[in-house]
Each structure stands twice: as C-alpha cells, then as structure tokens.
Amino acid sequence: MKINISIVVIVYLFLITSSALATDSFIEFRLADNNQIDNSTKYVINNQAIFVHAELILNHKNIENAELEIQDKKPPTWLAVADKTGMAKLQDKPTVIIHILLNNTGQKILETITARNIGKKLAIFLENELVMAPTIIEAITTGRISIVGDIEKQQAEQIIKKINNKST
C-alpha cells in the first residue's frame, strides 16, 4: 500500500512541475521542425506550419540581462516587410529589438543545441505567443540573441523589466 501511495504522490508532483514549466516563463526557446514529430505542437507563422517540440531549451532563468533598442529610422516606402500573416506591408513604425545576454549555463546550452540542430528552427515565445522561428544556420556561440519582430514597444519594455528583475 505504501508503494502505491508513493507512486501517486510522485506522479502528482511531476504533473504539477510539468504544468508549471509550461506556464511560468514569459520567454521561452524551443526547437521546431517543418514536419510533425512526437510530442510536438503545430503553430502557423508567416503562413507556414511548424511543429514546436515540447522540451524547453531556455527560458528567463538562463538570461543574464536584456536591453531594448528602438530604431526610429523608417525604411524607404518601396521596402515592404512581411507581417505575421506573411503578407507584405509597409513598415510604418519604429523597429523594436530585444537584445538578450545569456548567462554561462544558457550560453553553453544554446551553443550545444544549435550546433546539433542546424537546419531546424528555434521557436521563440514571448508571453506564450510565438513571435518568431528562425532557422538555425550555425552554432550560436556568443550567448547573445536579438529578437526583432512584430513586437510592440510596451510589450518589449515589460518583458525586459521582468527579465532584468528575474520576476515571473
């Protein structure tokens, strides 16, 4: 009888921990593929289906600090930028960039994962929303990541504040 109760308690604690991992981070990095694999979730970004792995690679706990950059220069009117739907539109607002510096553990993890997964995608989630999934073309060894996407300045400021304050 003790064994059964212990197993139930262990499973219960595992389920609580697993669900917390899925919801407690405001920034997450996960691998993704163009094809369905076991334990992956389908997302559509830029009119392309990708399948995001369940395993968490990095989150806010692996980040040393973050900075915001606003590029006020607007591109020429002939330059169109693809939005989240993949449709071309004129860029009519400043570009918001989140610069991230990983801690030593995060840098080592990212270097190892990117070296082993060239050709796959690195899905980046901000506040549980997939914001981009660039293709890994080489190992990322510097521990520095820049997120440039369809991010509002206020959202970026809140995320950076959370990262730098290490709050959730």
Side-chain angles (χ1 to χ4, degrees):
M1 190 70 166
K2 275 187 172 179
I3 294 173
N4 290 340
I5 291 171
S6 297
I7 292 171
V8 170
V9 170
I10 290 170
V11 169
Y12 178 71
L13 290 174
F14 174 76
L15 291 173
I16 289 173
T17 305
S18 296
S19 63
L21 279 177
T23 60
D24 75 343
S25 186
F26 44 87
I27 182 166
E28 295 181 347
F29 299 80
R30 298 175 187 267
L31 283 176
D33 286 288
N34 291 325
N35 301 311
Q36 178 75 45
I37 61 165
D38 291 339
N39 296 323
S40 65
T41 304
K42 181 180 178 181
Y43 287 86
V44 176
I45 189 163
N46 296 331
N47 286 334
Q48 179 185 4
I50 64 166
F51 298 90
V52 178
H53 299 207
E55 181 184 359
L56 179 67
I57 296 173
L58 298 169
N59 66 13
H60 65 280
K61 295 173 185 173
N62 303 110
I63 297 174
E64 186 70 31
N65 66 37
E67 295 178 352
L68 178 65
E69 179 184 351
I70 305 294
Q71 291 184 350
D72 288 324
K73 294 181 181 177
K74 295 180 182 174
T77 55
W78 52 264
L79 179 62
V81 179
D83 64 11
K84 287 182 181 180
T85 66
M87 299 298 294
K89 67 175 186 177
L90 292 177
Q91 183 72 14
D92 58 355
K93 61 183 180 178
T95 302
V96 177
I97 305 169
I98 299 174
H99 295 287
I100 295 173
L101 176 63
L102 298 175
N103 60 26
N104 289 336
T105 303
Q107 180 178 354
K108 290 174 186 173
I109 291 169
L110 187 63
E111 182 174 353
T112 301
I113 293 293
T114 55
R116 292 181 183 167
N117 291 284
I118 292 173
K120 291 189 178 184
K121 296 186 179 295
L122 184 63
I124 302 172
F125 291 84
L126 297 177
E127 297 180 326
N128 297 317
E129 180 183 342
L130 178 65
V131 294
M132 64 177 42
T135 301
I136 300 168
I137 57 172
E138 63 183 355
I140 301 172
T141 60
T142 62
R144 296 181 187 277
I145 301 169
S146 295
I147 301 173
V148 183
D150 195 11
I151 307 166
E152 295 297 323
K153 180 181 176 187
Q154 184 178 10
Q155 179 189 21
E157 288 171 340
Q158 291 170 351
I159 290 166
I160 288 169
K161 183 177 178 182
K162 287 179 183 179
I163 289 171
N164 291 334
N165 290 334
K166 303 295 186 229
S167 63
T168 56

